[in-house]
Amino acid sequence: MAEIITNKAESKTERADNSVLKKLLQNKGGFDYPLFFVVVITVIFGCVMVYSASHYNGLVHYGDRFFFLRKQIIGALIGLVCLFIVSYIDYNRLKKLKYTGFIVATVMLAMVFLPVIGVENYGARRWINLGFFTFQPSELAKFTFVLFAAVHMADHYKRVGTFLGILPVLITGGITCVLIILEPNLSITVVVGLTMLLMLFIGGAKARHFIIIALPLLVALPVLIVMEPYRINRMMAFINPWASPRGEGFQLIQSFYSLGSGGLFGVGLFNSRQTMLFLPFSESDFILSIIGEELGFVGIMFVFALFFIVILRGIRIALSAPCRFSSYLASGIVGVIALQALVNIAVVTGTIPPTGLPLPFISAGSSSLVVFMSAVGILLNIGRQARRRLPTANE
């Protein structure tokens, strides 16, 4: 008899625990804590890896092993403040920024070409100098485009099935892509282009529209590659990096060495050999290689799991959004995060030709970190308002 009572008590406790876990996963109370905490964990993990990947570089070139870490922490703190502010401001107010946001981002993209304001690094003009810090406008432009597309498709959803209905999205996306490719920055251009196609697909564009869009893109891609000799070299390095081990193939080979030496559990945190100035941009575009070297396959899977949870929570928010605009906006934000992470992973592993692109929330770069965390704030805002409008069990 006592055993039966004990089993019943344990069964009730188990059901209670499952109920708590279910409530946590569904999170009908308001704030999406799973999404928030996973993003915070990812950012903290990124700060640790930025220090690990950059402490030797910072010491050699700047005399400060904490040079990159300090900037990353500042970006994380600013991003956290922006996340909370944005998460408590009604997302519907963003509709008023449909044109203003796009115009501001476009002007900032054009400012990178100005002699004094624009900052050039490694032959590319991707930053503007704002006095006390530099900012990469393309990071903002990705999300202002998503905002414009979301507002337009929500306001004109009955016309998205026509070419004239999607033309404003194509024009704004095209302008953004052209300005970014002129920097030049092919990787961000690809992300914006894919995001545009994703937004149109979600909005209900027809198959014939994608065919019309694809034809000029198929012609433009080889032209863009031929226009810049370094892109041809990168393409050849992608096909056979060992043909130029000290040239264009150097970075990809070092990335392979880094990933290969990690094995299952890695060589240990802060023990990477590739950070000793062997792997270029180890703290930014190729930080995943250092994660693989120091933490091994397990560390890579941990990163994948973090992004999987963020993307999954974002999709849940988009599906439960209270209106077309918020659903499109959440879908676009999740799309940018997913596409940029996938492109970065593909570059680091040699799946596609090497091109510079930060890994969201993890790579060194304050402007990228602030913008992405602010975008997560918008997701949290949409999620909160969606849950507020859900009917209760008694209704």
Side-chain angles (χ1 to χ4, degrees), residues 178 257 298 303 308 353 364 374:
V178 168
Y257 286 157
V298 173
V303 173
F308 177 78
S374 300

Side-chain angles (χ1 to χ4, degrees), residues 32 35 198 202 307-321 326-335 337-338 379 382-383 387:
D32 194 327
L35 175 60
L198 176 65
I202 294 172
F307 278 108
F308 177 78
I309 295 172
V310 170
I311 293 168
L312 183 62
R313 298 301 301 185
I315 292 174
R316 288 169 64 91
I317 290 173
L319 291 175
S320 62
S326 55
S327 180
Y328 292 156
L329 183 60
S331 299
I333 292 172
V334 175
I337 295 173
L379 283 179
I382 296 172
R387 280 181 286 275

Side-chain angles (χ1 to χ4, degrees), residues 340-363:
Q340 185 154 329
L342 286 173
V343 172
N344 178 274
I345 293 168
V347 168
V348 168
T349 56
T351 308
I352 62 175
T355 180
L357 184 71
L359 186 63
F361 308 114
I362 296 178
S363 291

Side-chain angles (χ1 to χ4, degrees), residues 108-161:
M108 293 181 73
L109 285 174
M111 287 172 64
V112 302
F113 303 106
L114 297 179
V116 178
I117 300 177
V119 178
E120 182 175 352
N121 280 324
Y122 301 99
R125 304 183 68 90
R126 302 174 183 176
W127 301 266
I128 56 176
N129 188 355
L130 299 178
F132 51 96
F133 72 98
T134 58
F135 182 77
Q136 191 170 355
S138 59
E139 295 293 340
L140 178 64
K142 290 178 292 190
F143 293 103
T144 55
F145 165 71
V146 166
L147 175 62
F148 179 93
V151 176
H152 174 78
M153 293 192 303
D155 291 343
H156 306 281
Y157 67 94
K158 292 183 179 180
R159 299 179 55 202
V160 175

Side-chain angles (χ1 to χ4, degrees), residues 10-28:
E10 289 178 353
S11 178
K12 288 182 179 179
T13 303
E14 185 178 351
R15 286 198 300 269
D17 292 341
N18 291 336
S19 178
V20 172
L21 179 61
K22 187 176 180 180
K23 287 181 180 179
L24 178 61
L25 292 175
Q26 292 179 346
N27 193 35
K28 296 181 179 180

Side-chain angles (χ1 to χ4, degrees), residues 109 126 136 138 142 145 173-197 217 220-221 224 230-231 339-340 343 355-357:
L109 285 174
R126 302 174 183 176
Q136 191 170 355
S138 59
K142 290 178 292 190
F145 165 71
I175 292 173
T176 303
C177 287
V178 168
L179 288 173
I180 295 175
I181 196 66
L182 290 176
E183 294 179 348
N185 194 334
L186 181 60
S187 54
I188 297 294
T189 305
V190 170
V191 171
V192 174
L194 292 176
T195 302
M196 178 178 67
L197 296 178
L217 290 179
L221 187 59
L224 291 173
Y230 79 91
R231 291 186 185 133
L339 289 170
Q340 185 154 329
V343 172
T355 180
L357 184 71

